[in-house]
């Protein structure tokens, strides 16, 4: 695992109140994944860049649509509550990681935490696979979102063009393949700073564009009632909850904290403050301005509302600029979510006794990372309706990893008194989130079944 513990004598840290026992007598062998990909050299600012890129993404463009399912009160309430809950949740994860690092056993991966705290079976058969599916699903979504932005720019300036969506997805896949070769998570720090700036820029563009259209003579009629039958409204509420939960999802908090140079105490909280200051200025602006401007006519991606039929309601340069910002930022986000996959490849096939850039390690690294990105790109081209699938991932994947597991890991590590507020807050979040997993999953599957009737493989959407 992770970092070497320099203890000369056998020492056990065992505390029945903490619920774990760690043997420090034999330093764990550093595997290639920890040594090469999760190298711990970053500052709290770098951590803030990584966190922002992992959370703030083009998925925020779906927030006005989620309000059409929840209404003003429900949308604002859940957007705020989900933000507070995830900030609290991610901070709990950070505290648990800091605690174990203080005891001499720094956990660098989500599966390391699960193995040490709730058991190796949970790590191997639940947390590890679940995280892999979420991360690889995001890597599939990256070229897809980038390809749609690239195609949008192409059609904007060449309406009679014959290029298909899958061709643009392949172009974005090639860019992703190049970024995938960056050796470590830490090496993305400058890219992620640019990504942070880009997400603020395109969120600002969307906000300004929505306000402008809402006040213009082309402003559409606005209605804020939740549409549909009672059953549709009920399922819509849980679908909207899943959408918002997914926009706050990360799923790689331990891996991000692993990039911090020791000592790690307090650094993650500073990084979270950087990230959530960006969230506060992007999520709420886009959600409120988009829903205000278009009401219950807000589309799943708010940019689609900036057209009346095929006629753009704003100048072409606005769409060009906004889509370039989205395209570049989503490439950075995809590179971030490649890191757990890259780390797994390095752990399995790399040799930590050889140099990071030795032929022995470079050849399998380039080959496996390239194959991984190629597979994701093919799936993105095949499944251009992947947004519906990501809603399902949000219900079954993001909510367990980001809303439930942090509470469980904290309670099992520190054993707070059953009479304490923290115990009951953690338990309440766990139970409520578990209910959301089931109902949100059913709502997402229902939506996929409904939309699948109009979808085709390799569709030019």
């Amino acid at each position: 695992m992770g970092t070497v513990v320099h203890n000369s004598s056998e020492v056990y840290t065992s505390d029945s109140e903490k619920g774990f026992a760690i043997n420090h007598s034999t330093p764990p062998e550093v595997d290639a994944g920890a040594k090469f990909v999760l190298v711990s050299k970053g500052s709290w600012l770098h951590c803030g860049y990584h966190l922002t890129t992992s959370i703030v993404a083009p998925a925020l463009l779906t927030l006005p649509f989620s309000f059409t399912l929840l209404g003003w009160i429900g949308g604002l309430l859940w957007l705020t509550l989900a933000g507070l809950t995830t900030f609290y949740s991610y901070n709990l994860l950070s505290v648990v990681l800091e605690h174990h690092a203080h005891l001499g056993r720094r956990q660098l991966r989500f599966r390391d935490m699960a193995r040490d705290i709730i058991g190796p079976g949970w790590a191997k058969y639940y947390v590890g696979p679940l995280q892999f599916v979420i991360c690889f699903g995001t890597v599939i979504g990256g070229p897809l979102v980038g390809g749609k932005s690239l195609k949008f720019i192409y059609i904007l300036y060449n309406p009679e063009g014959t290029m298909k969506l899958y061709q643009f997805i392949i172009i974005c896949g090639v860019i992703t393949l190049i970024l995938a070769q960056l050796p470590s998570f830490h090496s993305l720090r400058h890219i992620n700073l640019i990504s942070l700036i880009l997400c603020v820029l395109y969120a600002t563009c969307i906000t300004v564009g929505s306000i402008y259209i809402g006040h213009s003579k082309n402003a559409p009629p606005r209605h804020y009632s939740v549409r549909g039958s009672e059953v549709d409204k009920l399922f819509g509420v849980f679908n909207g909850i899943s959408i918002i939960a997914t926009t706050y999802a990360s799923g790689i908090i331990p891996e991000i904290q692993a990039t911090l140079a020791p000592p790690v105490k307090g650094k993650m909280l500073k990084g979270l403050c950087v990230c959530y200051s960006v969230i506060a200025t992007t999520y709420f602006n886009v959600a409120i301005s988009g829903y205000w401007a278009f009401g219950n006519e807000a589309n799943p991606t708010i940019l689609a509302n900036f057209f009346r039929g095929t006629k753009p309601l704003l100048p072409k340069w606005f769409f060009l600029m906004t889509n370039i910002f989205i395209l570049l930022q989503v490439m950075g986000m995809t590179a971030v979510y490649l890191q757990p996959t890259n780390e797994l490849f390095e752990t399995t096939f790399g040799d930590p006794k050889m140099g990071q850039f030795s032929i022995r390690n470079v050849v399998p690294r380039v080959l496996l990372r390239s194959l991984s990105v190629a597979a994701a790109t093919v799936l993105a081209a095949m499944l251009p309706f992947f947004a519906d699938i990501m809603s399902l991932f949000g219900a079954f994947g993001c909510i367990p990893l980001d809303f439930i597991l942090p509470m469980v890991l904290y309670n099992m590590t520190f054993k707070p008194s059953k009479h304490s507020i923290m115990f009951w807050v953690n338990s309440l979040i766990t139970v409520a989130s578990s209910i959301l997993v089931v109902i949100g999953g059913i709502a997402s599957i229902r939506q996929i079944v409904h939309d699948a009737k109009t979808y085709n493989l390799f569709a030019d959407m």
Side-chain angles (χ1 to χ4, degrees):
M1 207 195 84
T3 46
V4 178
V5 184
H6 300 286
N7 285 24
S8 56
S9 58
E10 185 169 314
V11 178
Y12 280 87
T13 302
S14 180
D15 189 336
S16 59
E17 293 185 357
K18 304 301 183 197
F20 54 81
I22 300 171
N23 180 5
H24 298 308
S25 60
T26 305
E29 184 179 350
V30 181
D31 58 65
K35 185 176 181 180
F36 300 147
V37 178
L38 301 179
V39 57
S40 303
K41 293 182 179 179
S43 68
W44 64 268
L45 263 177
H46 298 150
C47 177
Y49 305 156
H50 298 324
L51 283 166
T52 304
T53 302
S54 74
I55 298 175
V56 185
L60 69 87
L61 302 183
T62 64
L63 291 174
F65 173 72
S66 70
F67 274 44
T68 69
L69 304 172
L70 298 167
W72 273 120
I73 295 176
L76 285 171
L77 180 64
W78 178 240
L79 189 63
T80 304
L81 188 60
L84 293 173
T85 302
T86 50
F87 183 89
Y88 172 73
S89 170
Y90 297 154
N91 190 52
L92 287 191
L93 274 180
S94 173
V95 170
V96 173
L97 289 164
E98 288 177 2
H99 179 74
H100 283 274
H102 178 71
L103 295 177
R105 181 77 170 183
R106 188 172 180 185
Q107 299 158 330
L108 301 180
R109 293 159 283 218
F110 225 135
R111 63 181 186 273
D112 293 342
M113 295 186 75
R115 181 197 62 216
D116 290 349
I117 299 172
I118 57 179
W122 284 93
K124 184 176 181 180
Y125 298 109
Y126 182 72
V127 175
L130 192 61
Q131 186 191 44
F132 180 83
V133 167
I134 291 172
C135 290
F136 194 68
T138 306
V139 174
I140 295 171
L144 174 57
V145 173
K148 287 188 174 183
S149 291
L150 203 54
K151 184 189 174 184
F152 184 89
I153 295 169
Y154 174 75
I155 294 297
L156 193 64
Y157 286 90
N158 187 14
E160 304 302 322
T162 58
M163 288 185 69
K164 304 298 184 183
L165 176 60
Y166 74 86
Q167 294 171 295
F168 296 105
I169 291 173
I170 291 171
I171 293 171
C172 292
V174 171
I175 298 172
T176 303
L177 188 146
I178 294 170
L179 291 174
Q181 308 310 323
L182 290 171
S184 68
F185 206 150
H186 181 63
S187 63
L188 294 172
R189 62 195 181 281
H190 301 305
I191 291 174
N192 288 341
L193 170 59
I194 296 171
S195 174
L196 184 154
I197 296 169
L198 288 169
C199 67
V200 172
L201 288 175
Y202 69 69
T204 302
C205 289
I206 297 299
T207 301
V208 172
S210 296
I211 294 172
Y212 177 83
I213 293 172
H215 282 296
S216 73
K217 63 180 180 180
N218 295 317
R222 294 189 287 268
H223 305 283
Y224 301 109
S225 59
V226 178
R227 295 179 300 182
S229 66
E230 293 303 316
V231 173
D232 287 338
K233 288 180 182 178
L234 179 62
F235 279 107
V237 165
F238 290 104
N239 203 24
I241 287 173
S242 293
I243 290 170
I244 292 177
T246 304
T247 64
Y248 280 106
S250 175
I252 54 173
I253 296 298
E255 286 78 5
I256 291 175
Q257 187 155 332
T259 66
L260 287 169
V264 299
K265 188 171 179 60
K267 293 180 180 177
M268 190 67 166
L269 179 58
K270 292 180 181 178
L272 281 169
C273 288
V274 171
C275 173
Y276 275 76
S277 65
V278 175
I279 286 174
T281 56
T282 54
Y283 282 35
F284 285 87
N285 285 342
V286 169
I288 293 171
S289 64
Y291 188 54
W292 168 80
F294 305 105
N296 56 20
E297 296 295 328
N299 282 296
T301 300
I302 195 62
L303 265 176
N305 286 99
F306 287 21
F307 287 80
R308 176 169 291 176
T310 59
K311 180 185 177 183
L313 300 177
L314 292 168
K316 285 185 178 181
W317 60 261
F318 172 88
F319 294 102
L320 174 65
M321 178 176 65
T322 303
N323 277 275
I324 287 175
F325 292 157
I326 292 172
L327 172 64
L328 294 176
Q329 198 263 339
V330 81
M331 293 294 96
M333 180 205 69
T334 307
V336 164
Y337 278 94
L338 273 169
Q339 299 312 305
T341 306
N342 293 346
E343 180 275 320
L344 186 62
F345 287 150
E346 294 275 350
T347 299
T348 307
F349 300 102
D351 185 352
K353 297 177 182 178
M354 302 291 288
Q356 182 177 11
F357 300 105
S358 64
I359 295 297
R360 163 64 182 82
N361 284 323
V362 167
V363 171
R365 178 184 303 137
V366 172
L367 179 63
L368 291 168
R369 292 184 183 192
S370 299
L371 288 173
S372 171
V373 173
T377 303
V378 170
L379 288 171
M382 288 176 61
L383 306 171
F385 50 91
F386 194 70
D388 280 1
I389 299 175
M390 284 305 293
S391 178
L392 184 64
F393 285 172
F396 285 122
C398 298
I399 292 177
L401 279 186
D402 296 326
F403 289 77
I404 299 175
L405 265 175
M407 312 301 157
V408 173
L409 295 173
Y410 183 91
N411 283 357
M412 292 187 68
T413 298
F414 293 102
K415 300 286 184 182
S417 168
K418 292 183 179 180
H419 301 289
S420 67
I421 294 177
M422 176 164 278
F423 174 83
W424 286 106
V425 168
N426 291 355
S427 299
L428 177 63
I429 292 173
T430 301
V431 172
S433 299
S434 299
I435 295 171
L436 288 179
V437 168
V438 176
I439 301 178
I442 293 172
S444 299
I445 292 171
R446 180 175 180 268
Q447 189 65 37
I448 290 172
V449 171
H450 178 267
D451 291 344
K453 299 172 184 177
T454 60
Y455 288 146
N456 297 303
L457 293 179
F458 297 99
D460 187 35
M461 300 175 65

